[in-house]
Amino acid sequence: MSKSQIRRYIGSFIIIALAITVISFYAGSLFKKDAYNRTIEILKRSNTLTWNILSLDNFLNMDDFIKSIAVSDIRVTIIRANGKVVADSQADISRLDNHASRPEINEAINGVSGYSKRYSDSLGEDLVYVAMPMRKISGKSYIIRSAMSVKEIDSTLGDIINRILYTGFITFLALSILSFLSERRLISPLSDIQKAAESYSTGNLDHHLTVQGPEDMRIVAESINSMAESLKFRLNEITRSKNQLDAVFSSMMEAVVVLDESLNIRHLNQSALKILDLSGSEVIGKSLIEVFMNSALQSIAEEVLNLQTPVERDISINSNHNLVLKVHGTQIPHENEKTAANAIVLVLNDITKTHHLESMRRDFVANVSHELKTPITNVKGYLETLLESDMADTETTEHFLNISLRNANRLNAILDDLLSLSRLEHQDNESLEVEIRSIEGVITAAFQSCAPKATEKEVKLILEGERNLLVPVNTLLMEQALTNLIDNAVKYSSAGSSVRVEIQKKDNQAVISVSDEGIGIPSKDLPRVFERFYRVDKARSRELGGTGLGLAIVKHIAIVHNGSVKVESEPGKGAAFTIRIPLA
Ligand code: ADP
């Protein structure tokens, strides 16, 4: 039995006991009042009757007469108007004092009936007295008084109260048992319902409530069961759609961050964590600025919150990488304006690559314009000077024309390289026309193209390594790539040095390395030498007739052959370029 049940039982027992006690005492006091009234009535009649009988005896010897007729329970006393007792049915009158001071006698002396309840010294017990003034006899006034012991009344009263208490106790017991039983009949289904509610609150909606008890309780139990069923159905629906949303949310390429109205992070998906290189538990509940440390992102969130309009802007973020993100911030609409707090969703799109490509495109256009502009300006300048000058000076004219021709050739070389690059960019690996050739043959052809320059610069071309290695190549393109590398090696070498081309077979690949003993490339420039128009020393490259596109072309030729190219170099100690392509 639970504490609350015990408390309830004790409470109802106390109420029943109180009710019975009050009823007992009320009934008792009613009875008491009634008993006294009746006694007084009896005593009054006794007075009248005694007086009448006395009249028959002519009041000769009152005391003897009274003693002879009186009944044992009623004491009859005759008193003179001055208080002297002249007759008493139970006491010796010689011993009785003057009664004038007795309250009932006093009232009777004054002509009205007097009543009193008090202790009688002469009889030694509590009595009820009724005194009445009577007619004068032989000129003397008399008062007659009857008295009765209260012992009788009190004992009857006590008896009655005992009976009431006994009946009350039995009733109390019966009521208590009844209340206990009915309480148990009600409490048992209620405690089943309570257990079911507790089980539902812990998420166990499979608990089926079976109630044995009153009809009403069974109806309540059925309602609770059907409520649990529909809750379970809805919960399943919610869980299903939440799982779907979670799956969408976590598989999104875009980073999504959900913020509360204080711009603290409530939720973020896998992509957002990847940007931050963090785990989810570390950031939930923290502020946006604390986690992303980016004032631009913070101001987007603040704008969305304050202006209540969507905001879109590109920002840069320095997390583990330098990223460029397109941020779209919007407020989540909510159903109840008053209670629901505003939430903000930030969708972050990684546009670093697009941004990089875009800036490469802009740089390329600027570079091409610049590279083309220089020779054209030169040609234009010399031709204008020629037109204005004395053409008869054939030496100067020839000199100016030669410079113009060199610039025109340079323009042509740049445009040729640009066209080659453009073709290579549109070339996919599958559609490349290839033939199985010995790589040695391709290198020999490249040597032939570079031989005049090498001889002129007194640079020795050396071929080493495997000889009959067969590779699927587009001969023209591979020849162009190797020519570019050997040409560069010769260009950036000093007289008397050697350019070594080595062929090796490694992991099913042909590895062709072109190394020289020339000026080399500083390590900071190494990652950029394959970019279009990138040159370590622009003036020197131009002077040597370079376009700045040679290595970009080599890189693309390697790519269309499913291969790669890399460079190793130390300034002053030469450079080594290595092309890897799959073997036949
Ligand atoms: P360029 O037409 O200027 O030679 P490339 O694209 O062929 O253009 O080469 C890019 C830059 O890389 C060159 O300007 C040069 O600075 C550097 N470079 C290429 N090959 C060598 C090499 N063998 N030795 C030193 N520097 C080189």
Side-chain angles (χ1 to χ4, degrees):
M1 205 186 292
S2 71
K3 270 188 183 170
S4 69
Q5 271 172 290
I6 295 174
R7 252 185 268 129
R8 254 199 319 278
Y9 287 137
I10 293 176
S12 49
F13 293 156
I14 290 174
I15 289 169
I16 296 168
L18 266 176
I20 288 170
T21 314
V22 168
I23 290 168
S24 305
F25 278 98
Y26 182 66
S29 76
L30 268 185
F31 171 79
K32 200 170 175 181
K33 206 169 156 194
D34 185 55
Y36 276 113
N37 286 342
R38 275 172 201 235
T39 308
I40 284 165
E41 214 40 57
I42 289 168
L43 294 175
K44 271 186 182 169
R45 277 194 211 148
S46 159
N47 282 347
T48 318
L49 190 68
T50 309
W51 189 259
N52 288 341
I53 295 171
L54 272 176
S55 310
L56 293 174
D57 192 46
N58 281 329
F59 307 100
L60 292 174
N61 190 345
M62 277 194 220
D63 190 45
D64 289 346
F65 188 70
I66 290 288
K67 281 193 170 70
S68 68
I69 62 159
V71 285
S72 60
D73 337 6
I74 301 175
R75 176 187 173 193
V76 182
T77 314
I78 313 282
I79 304 121
R80 287 283 304 278
N82 58 6
K84 186 178 177 334
V85 178
V86 289
D88 194 293
S89 64
Q90 287 177 5
D92 181 357
I93 54 169
S94 60
R95 288 187 173 174
L96 297 175
D97 56 357
N98 190 297
H99 274 33
S101 61
R102 306 285 198 278
E104 72 280 1
I105 304 293
N106 195 273
E107 278 179 57
I109 291 170
N110 291 329
V112 289
S113 298
Y115 311 94
S116 170
K117 180 188 166 228
R118 61 192 155 73
Y119 185 75
S120 159
D121 290 332
S122 39
L123 295 184
E125 58 179 323
D126 277 336
L127 295 177
V128 178
Y129 297 92
V130 176
M132 291 156 67
M134 290 299 162
R135 286 193 314 273
K136 282 187 180 176
I137 304 162
S138 325
K140 293 174 188 167
S141 294
Y142 287 93
I143 289 156
I144 182 157
R145 183 187 77 174
S146 290
M148 207 176 187
S149 166
V150 292
K151 210 160 67 189
E152 201 67 21
I153 305 168
D154 283 350
S155 86
T156 316
L157 189 64
D159 197 33
I160 286 172
I161 285 177
N162 279 345
R163 276 168 200 241
I164 292 175
L165 283 177
Y166 177 72
T167 320
F169 179 68
I170 298 289
T171 318
F172 167 72
L173 270 187
L175 282 177
S176 298
I177 290 167
L178 261 176
S179 124
F180 175 78
L181 290 177
S182 67
E183 175 103 327
R184 227 175 53 165
R185 210 169 121 77
L186 265 177
I187 289 299
S188 147
L190 274 178
S191 98
D192 286 347
I193 290 172
Q194 183 199 353
K195 273 184 206 142
E198 274 168 10
S199 151
Y200 296 153
S201 71
T202 59
N204 175 19
L205 291 170
D206 291 324
H207 183 104
H208 186 80
L209 188 57
T210 327
V211 164
Q212 313 272 320
E215 173 79 13
D216 292 350
M217 287 291 174
R218 288 206 302 274
I219 293 173
V220 171
E222 271 165 31
S223 309
I224 289 176
N225 279 335
S226 63
M227 180 194 78
E229 276 298 313
S230 82
L231 263 180
K232 196 170 134 189
F233 177 74
R234 276 164 195 232
L235 208 67
N236 285 344
E237 287 272 291
I238 293 168
T239 314
R240 202 169 37 242
S241 54
K242 187 185 171 292
N243 288 345
Q244 275 173 4
L245 268 178
D246 279 353
V248 171
F249 194 55
S250 56
S251 61
M252 270 171 85
M253 291 294 288
E254 291 86 358
V256 181
V257 183
V258 183
L259 306 168
D260 63 18
E261 76 285 4
S262 314
L263 302 187
N264 291 327
I265 295 176
R266 255 205 237 161
H267 203 50
L268 76 181
N269 68 352
Q270 225 33 51
S271 305
L273 290 172
K274 227 157 93 187
I275 288 181
L276 292 166
D277 209 12
L278 285 174
S279 81
S281 54
E282 291 174 62
V283 296
I284 300 299
K286 288 190 182 163
S287 68
L288 181 71
I289 188 80
E290 185 186 353
V291 173
F292 281 82
M293 301 219 240
N294 189 291
S295 55
L297 189 63
Q298 175 78 7
S299 66
I300 291 177
E302 281 169 3
E303 258 178 63
V304 174
L305 191 69
N306 299 332
L307 306 178
Q308 310 214 325
T309 49
V311 175
E312 191 170 274
R313 207 174 295 149
D314 293 352
I315 63 162
S316 302
I317 199 160
N318 299 321
S319 57
N320 47 349
H321 325 283
N322 286 342
L323 297 176
V324 183
L325 303 171
K326 183 175 279 303
V327 183
H328 182 90
T330 181
Q331 212 162 24
I332 300 180
H334 45 73
E335 287 166 19
N336 190 341
E337 297 273 334
K338 281 178 196 147
T339 55
N342 288 347
I344 288 172
V345 181
L346 299 176
V347 180
L348 294 80
N349 246 309
D350 184 355
I351 54 161
T352 315
K353 263 192 196 152
T354 329
H355 196 263
H356 181 62
L357 286 174
E358 179 58 22
S359 87
M360 266 171 66
R361 188 192 63 80
R362 274 199 301 267
D363 287 354
F364 179 68
V365 171
N367 282 335
V368 169
S369 316
H370 181 74
E371 293 294 331
L372 295 179
K373 180 112 180 123
T374 318
I376 284 180
T377 314
N378 281 344
V379 171
K380 193 170 164 258
Y382 282 108
L383 290 180
E384 277 169 1
T385 319
L386 260 184
L387 280 176
E388 285 163 16
S389 67
D390 177 12
M391 294 276 207
D393 182 353
T394 48
E395 202 177 319
T396 313
T397 308
E398 198 183 320
H399 177 63
F400 281 13
L401 283 175
N402 270 331
I403 297 176
S404 299
L405 181 63
R406 220 171 38 240
N407 278 293
N409 283 338
R410 181 168 166 69
L411 263 179
N412 196 39
I414 293 173
L415 289 172
D416 277 350
D417 280 355
L418 280 174
L419 283 171
S420 298
L421 260 179
S422 161
R423 269 197 301 271
L424 283 167
E425 271 175 350
H426 290 97
Q427 175 74 59
D428 58 54
N429 309 20
E430 277 78 36
S431 62
L432 180 74
E433 281 180 24
V434 289
E435 53 184 330
I436 308 293
R437 282 208 54 185
S438 147
I439 194 72
E440 186 193 347
V442 186
I443 294 168
T444 313
F447 269 5
Q448 276 167 12
S449 310
C450 299
K453 232 185 214 169
T455 317
E456 191 188 319
K457 259 194 112 174
E458 294 174 30
V459 172
K460 221 156 98 191
L461 300 178
I462 304 167
L463 178 62
E464 291 175 337
E466 304 244 0
R467 291 298 156 126
N468 293 313
L469 215 53
L470 295 178
V471 280
V473 283
N474 180 298
T475 310
L476 274 179
L477 288 180
M478 193 47 73
E479 212 178 288
Q480 187 184 354
L482 289 166
T483 308
N484 283 359
L485 290 181
I486 298 163
D487 185 57
N488 276 349
V490 173
K491 256 188 335 194
Y492 299 106
S493 289
S494 46
S497 64
S498 315
V499 168
R500 218 169 283 274
V501 179
E502 194 183 358
I503 310 166
Q504 278 178 302
K505 184 183 163 189
K506 248 187 217 166
D507 307 328
N508 246 356
Q509 281 186 321
V511 182
I512 309 133
S513 63
V514 180
S515 44
D516 59 63
E517 297 152 358
I519 56 167
I521 303 166
S523 59
K524 72 170 174 52
D525 298 302
L526 282 177
R528 301 198 61 188
V529 290
F530 293 100
E531 284 176 21
R532 290 150 211 224
F533 296 116
Y534 188 82
R535 281 161 291 193
V536 178
D537 180 342
K538 271 195 177 144
R540 188 171 191 161
S541 158
R542 273 203 205 109
E543 198 185 305
L544 295 168
T547 60
L549 294 168
L551 289 181
I553 292 172
V554 173
K555 182 178 145 192
H556 275 89
I557 292 176
I559 290 171
V560 295
H561 280 88
N562 295 317
S564 63
V565 61
K566 68 172 183 113
V567 59
E568 283 166 18
S569 175
E570 238 181 274
K573 289 192 180 169
F577 287 85
T578 310
I579 291 182
R580 286 163 195 269
I581 47 168
L583 286 173

